[in-house]
Amino acid sequence: MLLLHGFPETGLMWHRVAPLLAGAFTLVVADLPGYGRSSCPRDSDHHASMSKREMAATLTDAMGIAGYERFAIVGHDRGGRVAYRAALDHPARISHVVVLDMVPTYDVWDRADARLALAYWPFSLLAQPAPLPERLMAAAPDAVVDNAIAEWGSSPDAFLTWLREAYIDALRDPARVHAICEEYRAAAGIDREIDRADLDANRRIICPLLALWSDRGGLARWYDDAGGPLGLWRRWADDVQGQSVSGGHFFPEEDPATTARLIRAFLESEGCRQKRTERDADPRPG
């Protein structure tokens, strides 16, 4: 199982969840390209080097090098965007996908309004042209982390001092700050275009998908007209299940036991095992 984090975190976000899953699964915890201790891709036209397509390809290749040809992928926030892109682009490699507190990038922007702009400012601010967002974030990395912790519905008590400091330190590197902004620029542009092309071509996620979201955040309120988060995900995937989880955006830190229990139950469910067996036996490519 590959575990991927979101903004403004690193792979350390799994420090409470991973031990609860380690007895049942082999875990790989990665920092997203450009985040934490991962290398920063070179800039490219249209911010393509930080697109979710490129990030998913990099991480899928890395898993293959490590000896894992087929694996489950779990992503929170930005990591969830990489996770579902991996499931779309590499269907033979991904057995299950779990997305935590996020919906597809195309749908976020297609339905964006003042609520998104005010509640989750990174979507619009960090997507602005360089160097403005880089200078702002690098000037006050502690304010960036503290705002996310305080304003996105989670209890600050869930973040130990050493963890908060680690997230702040990760934003002190100008190269990583730039890479993160490039990732948000990609989400506002090329990622939306790739998503729209998939919708137009009716390309779908064929592996089972679990969506979990905060019962305090925007996902629990903003998308009722589309059937909520599950309604949005069913536009993209054939086999979707999920539910809200008590807590804020960072509910894996707030309630690791529930998060781990729901992920494990999903991967070990009879329906998922049956679908995996059928696909493994199918000789068709992909």
Side-chain angles (χ1 to χ4, degrees):
M1 183 192 305
L2 175 61
L3 300 176
L4 301 176
H5 64 89
F7 174 86
E9 300 179 303
T10 70
L12 291 172
M13 70 158 284
W14 302 107
H15 74 106
R16 286 175 170 157
V17 175
L20 301 176
L21 295 171
F25 307 100
T26 299
L27 303 179
V28 177
V29 180
D31 287 343
L32 294 170
Y35 283 76
R37 296 185 178 183
S38 287
S39 60
C40 298
R42 294 181 179 179
D43 286 357
S44 61
D45 291 343
H46 309 294
H47 320 292
S49 62
M50 287 299 289
S51 70
K52 307 311 168 294
R53 172 159 285 168
E54 288 299 317
M55 296 169 81
T58 296
L59 289 162
T60 302
D61 287 347
M63 289 293 282
I65 292 170
Y68 304 110
E69 290 302 321
R70 187 168 171 81
F71 55 93
I73 186 167
V74 180
H76 175 257
D77 187 82
R78 314 309 290 180
R81 305 191 186 287
V82 177
Y84 85 81
R85 176 47 52 191
L88 282 165
D89 287 357
H90 309 278
R93 303 289 305 279
I94 308 301
S95 64
H96 307 75
V97 61
V98 180
V99 290
L100 306 182
D101 214 44
M102 49 81 58
V103 295
T105 303
Y106 177 82
D107 292 316
V108 171
W109 283 109
D110 188 49
R111 293 171 168 272
D113 57 19
R115 295 174 300 182
L116 176 74
L118 293 172
Y120 296 109
W121 52 266
F123 274 94
S124 54
L125 176 58
L126 301 189
Q128 297 301 310
L132 176 62
E134 284 91 340
R135 293 182 64 182
L136 293 174
M137 188 154 58
D142 56 337
V144 171
V145 171
D146 288 344
N147 177 271
I149 291 173
E151 300 297 331
W152 294 351
S154 292
S155 170
D157 294 339
F159 296 86
L160 301 175
T161 299
W162 68 265
L163 185 63
R164 172 186 173 274
E165 291 176 351
Y167 292 158
I168 293 170
D169 284 344
L171 296 182
R172 296 190 190 281
D173 181 352
R176 301 196 190 290
V177 169
H178 175 66
I180 291 169
C181 293
E182 285 291 283
E183 186 261 299
Y184 273 88
R185 293 176 186 123
I190 190 171
D191 289 344
R192 295 168 66 190
E193 296 169 6
I194 291 170
D195 275 7
R196 181 54 195 250
D198 283 343
L199 280 176
D200 290 345
N202 198 32
R203 291 184 66 218
R204 298 178 64 77
I205 296 169
I206 62 172
C207 68
L209 182 146
L210 173 68
L212 303 176
W213 62 92
S214 162
D215 67 353
R216 302 176 193 164
L219 270 66
R221 306 186 306 273
W222 295 348
Y223 304 116
D224 288 347
D225 65 317
L230 294 183
L232 291 177
W233 281 112
R234 286 173 178 143
R235 298 178 66 204
W236 297 83
D238 295 328
D239 182 355
V240 176
Q241 57 184 281
Q243 65 179 73
S244 64
V245 177
S246 179
H249 179 62
F250 302 106
F251 62 79
E253 279 103 336
E254 290 183 273
D255 192 351
T258 297
T259 303
R261 175 177 58 80
L262 292 171
I263 292 172
R264 180 169 179 169
F266 168 66
L267 267 66
E268 293 181 339
S269 68
E270 183 62 34
C272 285
R273 287 201 301 270
Q274 179 65 26
K275 288 180 180 295
R276 179 182 63 202
T277 301
E278 291 171 355
R279 291 199 183 100
D280 288 348
D282 190 340
R284 295 173 296 175

